[in-house]
Amino acid sequence: MHHFRYIGHNLHCESVDLAEVARLYGTPTYVYSAATMADNYTRLSKSLSGLDFQICFANKANANLGVLRHFANLGAAFDFASGGELRRVLAAGADVKRSVFAGVGKTEAEIVLALTSGIFAFHVESEPELARINHVAGKLGVKAPISIRVNPDVDALTHAKISTGKSEHKFGIPLRFAAAAYEAASKYPHVALRGVQMHIGSQITEVEPLVEAVEKVAPLAAELKAKFGITYFSIGGGIGIVYRDALASGQAAWWEAQPADKRPMTPESYGAALVPLLKPLGLKVVLEPGRFLVGNAGVLLSRVEYLKRGHGKNFLIVDAAMNDLVRPAMYDAFHEIVPLHRDTTRRSLVADVVGPVCETSDCFAKDRSLQELGEGEYLAIMSAGAYGRTMASRYNARPLPAEVLVQGSAFELVAARETFEQTIAGEKIPAFLG
Ligand SMILES: *Cc1c(COP(=O)(O)O)cnc(C)c1O
């Protein structure tokens, strides 16, 4: 469910006409719905009722300061993948006391930052990392709160590049070694054992792999609670969203029309399957959703530059590119593409929707059937709120795109499009070149 829909002929985000946003701020521009984010957060919270839980928004999915403040206002904590993400949360005016720090390569400087900021816990991914955290905490004269990430060796049934919970992945410590790792961790003088963590992958659309992983890790969690007094179990993130019928899935009717065996996992089915497994543990449950909270709350607006009619192939060349939204190039991801002005009297067109970057992989959609569009007309690439702008680059010397946050009929630029001067600000010609 989300807040993107046609009102009359024009696509709106909440009460805002997206063509107006495109005209005002140019394209490519990301637009986010505050109401959709709030709804996603509230629905997920409701589905966990009966548990003592804490939602830590994984801000690698969307780290815009306005978005972070919105989640902080809703009561969310955060999951960091780097010191930069921690600093963004602080810059957004939120505190990090209930937030957690993940990632396989935490540097000494990042550990110092997290300890001095007073985070809830480190999610430790290896023994050398544990030794380093212990060492840094000792130097600062504090105890570092930690949990170990265990790898339950479960197939998340998602794309290979976003699967993290099999034994061949770099993440966590294999479940069978976890008890020994906690035993070893308990000997370190400058760490405090707080919980246990798992995260098996992203864009998970069926509940079974999550059930299997929770069932595998729950006995360890119970054992660690009895032995070391841990207080929480983090079950990670990974809840998937609808990409293929993105626009239609904004309406309840779409969900009702899906046959029961085809309906993607919802917060309600997630909660119904997991709460009964988690409740008997008597531990706080930490969740780290990223994509679910923001993915369907954002679109990328773009303008048509050319319709190039080829030999047996048409190309709709737009002003957004793989540097703005890399998911199709990187993960072969599907994104629905819709016009901002819908005109049912137009013919339809089958085309590849491509950006201007000099790479064949700079392609948002192959052989897509769309309403015929011409130069200067706008379109929206749907479900672009997660892993969109946070993965953007400046490839082909393109500036980072703008971001706009909508709430009701209000909208504001929350990140200006980069200027050319900003893109070269850190560079210089070395003296030896004269
Ligand atoms: C990326 C990540 C998440 C969030 O994943 P989503 O699929 O976006 O929900 C949660 N926890 C950890 C440890 C992660 O690396």
Side-chain angles (χ1 to χ4, degrees):
M1 311 278 267
H2 58 69
H3 296 76
F4 295 89
R5 68 198 189 292
Y6 286 98
I7 299 178
H9 292 286
N10 290 356
L11 188 66
H12 283 62
C13 172
E14 305 190 30
S15 306
V16 173
D17 185 337
L18 287 171
E20 192 187 329
V21 176
R23 279 191 294 270
L24 199 56
Y25 297 119
T27 49
T29 293
Y30 281 98
V31 182
Y32 310 125
S33 160
T36 302
M37 293 178 189
D39 270 12
N40 290 341
Y41 183 83
T42 308
R43 258 181 92 187
L44 184 57
S45 301
K46 282 202 179 127
S47 78
L48 301 167
S49 64
L51 288 182
D52 172 17
F53 68 90
Q54 178 167 312
I55 294 178
C56 294
F57 170 47
N59 71 77
K60 69 176 187 283
N62 189 322
N64 177 276
L65 297 191
V67 170
L68 297 179
R69 171 67 76 89
H70 183 41
F71 279 109
N73 290 349
L74 289 166
F78 300 91
D79 174 54
F80 313 121
S82 73
E85 289 185 0
L86 191 163
R87 294 184 64 178
R88 280 188 160 270
V89 168
L90 294 175
D95 77 55
V96 296
K97 305 258 176 299
R98 294 176 302 126
S99 294
V100 295
F101 190 175
V104 298
K106 300 176 192 77
T107 65
E108 184 159 334
E110 288 175 323
I111 295 166
V112 169
L113 171 69
L115 283 171
T116 52
S117 307
I119 65 162
F120 186 66
F122 290 90
H123 288 165
V124 176
E125 305 238 12
S126 68
E127 278 144 56
E129 181 194 331
L130 185 62
R132 181 182 285 180
I133 291 173
N134 177 69
H135 176 72
V136 176
K139 278 204 296 192
L140 294 176
V142 296
K143 262 193 182 240
I146 69 118
S147 298
I148 293 177
R149 177 171 180 176
V150 300
N151 185 328
D153 194 20
V154 167
D155 188 340
L157 305 177
T158 184
H159 190 280
K161 286 188 185 169
I162 51 174
S163 194
T164 57
K166 289 285 286 171
S167 53
E168 67 263 32
H169 297 132
K170 69 179 176 184
F171 302 101
I173 287 176
L175 189 56
R176 65 183 182 286
F177 301 130
Y182 272 88
E183 201 62 58
S186 72
K187 307 269 185 330
Y188 282 102
H190 308 297
V191 303
L193 304 183
R194 287 287 159 76
V196 61
Q197 203 269 345
M198 62 168 230
H199 171 70
I200 62 168
S202 198
Q203 185 53 19
I204 299 169
T205 55
E206 301 161 61
V207 82
E208 287 76 14
L210 289 161
V211 166
E212 189 188 339
V214 167
E215 281 176 337
K216 277 178 120 171
V217 178
L220 172 74
E223 185 190 324
L224 296 172
K225 184 187 176 200
K227 207 163 179 181
F228 301 112
I230 67 162
T231 59
Y232 78 91
F233 178 10
S234 166
I235 62 170
I239 306 171
I241 63 164
V242 174
Y243 283 100
R244 206 156 275 275
D245 286 335
L247 186 63
S249 72
Q251 311 298 320
W254 182 87
W255 292 88
E256 283 149 23
Q258 302 304 304
D261 59 329
K262 293 251 170 60
R263 198 173 297 149
M265 182 168 72
T266 60
E268 292 76 22
S269 62
Y270 175 87
L274 297 181
V275 171
L277 302 177
L278 294 165
K279 198 168 168 57
L281 294 171
L283 290 166
K284 181 194 276 281
V285 174
V286 170
L287 289 91
E288 303 156 4
R291 187 188 313 270
F292 170 74
L293 293 178
V294 291
N296 69 351
V299 298
L300 175 59
L301 304 184
S302 184
R303 193 170 47 96
V304 175
E305 292 293 348
Y306 303 100
L307 171 59
K308 176 176 171 179
R309 295 191 187 273
H311 299 283
K313 190 109 177 150
N314 298 314
F315 296 96
L316 195 64
I317 303 171
V318 301
D319 69 351
M322 65 188 289
N323 73 294
D324 303 302
L325 175 66
V326 78
R327 299 189 67 261
M330 188 148 151
Y331 307 120
D332 302 314
F334 181 99
H335 282 270
E336 191 179 15
I337 299 175
V338 297
L340 292 197
H341 182 80
R342 190 166 60 179
D343 179 354
T344 49
T345 66
R346 295 252 190 115
R347 280 186 307 183
S348 75
L349 167 81
V350 175
D352 285 8
V353 181
V354 302
V357 162
C358 302
E359 297 279 343
T360 304
S361 60
D362 184 23
C363 177
F364 290 116
K366 276 216 166 348
D367 297 319
R368 189 68 63 84
S369 180
L370 295 155
Q371 163 189 317
E372 194 168 273
L373 289 173
E375 192 179 323
E377 294 190 296
Y378 295 118
L379 47 78
I381 303 176
M382 302 296 295
S383 313
Y387 306 103
R389 167 67 199 245
T390 53
M391 293 181 101
S393 76
R394 299 189 180 115
Y395 187 41
N396 272 214
R398 291 167 53 86
L400 293 175
E403 293 172 289
V404 168
L405 186 61
V406 171
Q407 187 163 54
S409 56
F411 63 98
E412 241 179 79
L413 195 63
V414 288
R417 184 180 318 290
E418 269 191 327
T419 62
F420 171 72
E421 288 69 27
Q422 287 169 328
T423 69
I424 59 164
E427 296 180 41
K428 71 188 241 307
I429 312 288
F432 58 74
L433 291 183

